[in-house]
Amino acid sequence: MYTTRRSTPADIPLILHFVRELARYESVENHVMATEQDLEEALFGDNAIAGALLCELEGQAVGFGLYVYNFSTWTGKRGIFLESLYVDAEQRGKGAGKAILQQIAELAIAQDCARLEWSVLDWNESSIKFLESMGARALPDLVGYRITGDAIRALAESKAS
């Protein structure tokens, strides 16, 4: 039986471990720049911007979900964006991921959120099937974009013409 709980500051090293495991699973481990201090500030600092849940089996953490809030101009309400979801390989397909998503859905309902959203890598067939089995649907008209590093700086320093 899986249990979920909100993370505490003492869980920061474990959360960073799961972040690194997720990156390893996605073959982008070298992209992880987050530190324990970064996560502590983001999750528990004065201006916290994210939340995290841990999934446990018999008191042992087996996965996590990290989320942030967004806002829908169409609904006039905030939503939850699931930034990361990771479950240890030996626990996949046994209900841990569903337990995390159920807890986040409960949080969304309790906070009157209009949406629960996330992104999935297009090659991750098992995750896509898992998410679709719970009623999630791909957004066919949207394409994700991202600006990072020097491109953010260049945009900020550009002048509108």
Side-chain angles (χ1 to χ4, degrees):
M1 176 94 177
Y2 294 103
T3 59
T4 57
R5 65 174 176 83
R6 288 190 184 205
S7 64
T8 68
D11 296 316
I12 294 296
L14 179 59
I15 292 168
L16 185 55
H17 164 76
F18 282 138
V19 167
R20 289 182 175 135
E21 289 300 307
L22 174 59
R24 185 175 294 120
Y25 172 74
E26 294 179 352
S27 299
V28 291
E29 189 174 10
N30 61 328
H31 291 185
V32 177
M33 294 181 281
T35 65
E36 288 183 13
Q37 182 178 350
D38 293 332
L39 291 175
E40 185 157 356
E41 184 66 27
L43 295 170
F44 303 106
D46 291 339
N47 296 307
I49 58 168
L53 299 174
L54 292 175
C55 182
E56 297 177 333
L57 178 64
E58 299 175 0
Q60 180 73 30
V62 298
F64 88 116
L66 193 144
Y67 59 91
V68 296
Y69 292 95
N70 56 21
F71 182 78
S72 167
T73 54
W74 301 136
T75 67
K77 296 184 179 199
R78 69 180 176 169
I80 292 179
F81 182 83
L82 181 60
E83 172 62 26
S84 295
L85 175 66
Y86 177 80
V87 173
D88 285 335
E90 58 275 2
Q91 296 301 320
R92 291 183 197 141
K94 298 178 181 178
K98 186 173 183 180
I100 295 167
L101 284 172
Q102 284 176 322
Q103 186 69 40
I104 292 174
E106 286 179 20
L107 181 65
I109 289 169
Q111 296 181 358
D112 195 31
C113 294
R115 297 175 175 169
L116 173 54
E117 301 174 299
W118 56 86
S119 298
V120 178
L121 293 168
D122 61 0
W123 56 260
N124 196 339
E125 293 285 330
S126 63
S127 290
I128 291 168
K129 287 178 183 177
F130 162 66
L131 296 167
E132 288 179 348
S133 76
M134 290 183 293
R137 297 294 173 253
L139 301 173
D141 298 333
L142 297 176
V143 176
Y145 284 86
R146 177 179 297 157
I147 297 177
T148 62
D150 290 338
I152 294 173
R153 193 169 339 293
L155 178 59
E157 294 171 356
S158 68
K159 298 290 182 199
S161 48

